[in-house]
Amino acid sequence: MLKMASIGTKIQLNKVESEICSLVKEFCSQYNALHASEEPLTARITGGWVRDKLLGNESNDLDIAVNSMTGEQFAEKLCEFLNERGLQTHSLNTINKNPSKSKHLETCTTKLLGVPVDFVNLRSEEYTMESRIPKVEFGTPYEDAMRRDATLNAMFYNITEDKIEDFTEKGIRDLNDGILRTPLPPKKTFIDDPLRVLRLIRFASRFNFKIEEQTYQAMKDKDIHVSFNQKISKSRIYTELHKTFTSENPFYALDLIQGANMSSVIFSSSTTSPKIETVYASLDSHLKQLVDHIPNLLSNHELFARLFPEFQEPLILSLVLCGFKGLTGPDPAKPKNQIPLAGVIVKEGINYPNAQVNNVITCVESEDIYHQLIANAETMQRSELGFALIKFGEPWKMVHFYNMCLEYLRNGIESTSRFDHFYKLVHDRDLADVYSLKHIVNGKELAKLLNKKPGVWMSKTMDDVLKWQLNNPDKSKQYFIENINSIIELP
């Protein structure tokens, strides 16, 4: 867990933040003077900004919640106030409620002094068992704080009074101790909105914090798992996993997922069979193996550690799903077509974009071919090796380290030496970027040089051109043109 010096209870505003808060405070004072009989208007900065500022970090996540009007009403009146003082304002953009995308409340966005700001009203939420979409009403600061995912995300900065407000009475202490806990009883918090399970895991991974024991135990509850599958849209799962698996500590997140018995819940598929269920039954223990070993490999393999950030997310997903190699399921986009099941899970279960789906499929289904490639590489012509790497495309390095990880998991660090030898061989033969190699002549040029009309003959002949290039890397285009009749054999 992250060790921190004791945090204070005073926000240190930067210059722009100070100017924004001064303007908002001045507006609230004027408004309250003109509406003395009404509840005083108070503006509070909420959530992640408060947490980050108390940790000594800058934050661009500026959300302002108000107590007695909607965010849109507040923003309109604030902009009128600024215009009266000759200050430039930007257009307002109101984002309507969209529960399917977790927008449960109308939000108004604009820029103040060049900084994006969201305005909302304080709210309370009431959930049903069937949906993670709550009934939302105006709420008190206490109600707004208690509905949030974690105490350390539930603190407010009261702009009017220039102070931190910790209505859960645990936020500052938990932030100081590096503890993630829910403001309300954890089972209720997670049943209401199971996405909070992933959010807390993401925050634990991001800050290297510990999840409080009762909160973590609640994550293991079967009712939470059922609620997770019933309530959460796949796009929201993707958002949380993407942020988690691109963080600096993704294996801590995997450890928390498997410890909460959430592996088969998160990486789910509607396709089932006895073989598939066998893989799912051991998925938590497989993640534990990844957590226990892959960070050690990263610590002891300088090249892998250096390149890891380039393909971190698809590599992690591929390692998680490696047990599904050889299994298939219907393509979510074209159900009549079968694709590797790892791709179905990434596409259907957690809504990753097609580029990452293809990366995962390439890795998971590569093992047999790649091991054969390594075994035969020494005796292969440069063109043979080049064509083999071209089939993997740009992700070949990811495929390489994916298979090295599997080898390490099964046989230890000594077994990875042949992967290092192969990687060096590829670079010694100047084939590391072969996937981007262009033909020395294009199809139109080739047809003209050979005095032939384009046709079915061109595909194989263009492959022959590329084969010649790979075996003759020192030869020029001019040399090829001058000797084309002896180089190319037409079918």
Side-chain angles (χ1 to χ4, degrees), residues 170-223:
K170 296 176 181 176
I172 292 175
R173 184 185 68 194
D174 285 346
L175 186 60
N176 192 64
D177 294 341
I179 298 293
L180 284 153
R181 82 174 79 231
T182 56
L184 294 173
K187 183 170 181 177
K188 173 175 173 50
T189 296
F190 296 145
I191 287 287
D192 284 348
D193 186 356
L195 186 67
R196 290 165 176 162
V197 172
L198 284 185
R199 285 178 59 81
L200 262 61
I201 288 173
R202 172 165 67 86
F203 287 126
S205 174
R206 175 182 172 185
F207 296 110
N208 201 22
F209 282 1
K210 180 181 178 181
I211 298 177
E212 181 267 336
E213 185 59 28
Q214 285 188 336
T215 302
Y216 191 53
Q217 289 301 317
M219 292 181 177
K220 303 177 184 181
D221 193 295
K222 295 294 184 183
D223 292 337

Side-chain angles (χ1 to χ4, degrees), residues 332-346:
K334 298 178 180 179
K336 291 184 179 180
N337 297 341
Q338 293 285 307
I339 64 172
L341 189 61
V344 176
I345 294 169
V346 175

Side-chain angles (χ1 to χ4, degrees), residues 428-443:
D428 288 346
R429 294 192 180 184
D430 195 23
L431 290 171
D433 298 320
V434 67
Y435 56 85
S436 63
L437 181 65
K438 297 184 185 305
H439 289 82
I440 202 166
V441 293
N442 61 39

Side-chain angles (χ1 to χ4, degrees), residues 402-422:
Y402 167 80
N403 283 283
M404 188 181 77
C405 286
L406 295 186
E407 185 71 16
Y408 174 75
L409 289 171
R410 294 163 183 160
N411 300 306
I413 190 67
E414 295 81 8
S415 64
T416 63
S417 60
R418 63 194 184 100
F419 287 85
D420 297 334
H421 179 76
F422 176 75

Side-chain angles (χ1 to χ4, degrees), residues 32-55:
N32 289 333
L34 296 172
H35 301 80
S37 62
E38 301 177 6
E39 177 187 357
L41 176 62
T42 304
R44 296 172 168 89
I45 303 178
T46 67
W49 180 90
V50 181
R51 175 201 66 222
D52 290 344
K53 294 295 287 188
L54 288 173
L55 288 172

Side-chain angles (χ1 to χ4, degrees), residues 92-142:
L92 302 179
N93 178 32
T94 299
I95 304 172
N96 295 321
K97 290 188 289 185
N98 188 348
S100 67
K101 295 187 180 297
S102 293
K103 288 292 183 185
H104 306 311
L105 191 69
E106 181 181 273
T107 303
C108 187
T109 67
T110 189
K111 285 187 176 181
L112 296 179
L113 304 181
V115 176
V117 184
D118 290 353
F119 296 95
V120 297
N121 58 267
L122 294 171
R123 64 192 191 265
S124 65
E125 296 177 344
E126 182 179 343
Y127 289 83
T128 67
M129 289 298 294
E130 291 75 28
S131 174
R132 65 176 294 269
I133 301 169
K135 177 183 178 182
V136 178
E137 297 179 345
F138 273 82
T140 66
Y142 175 82

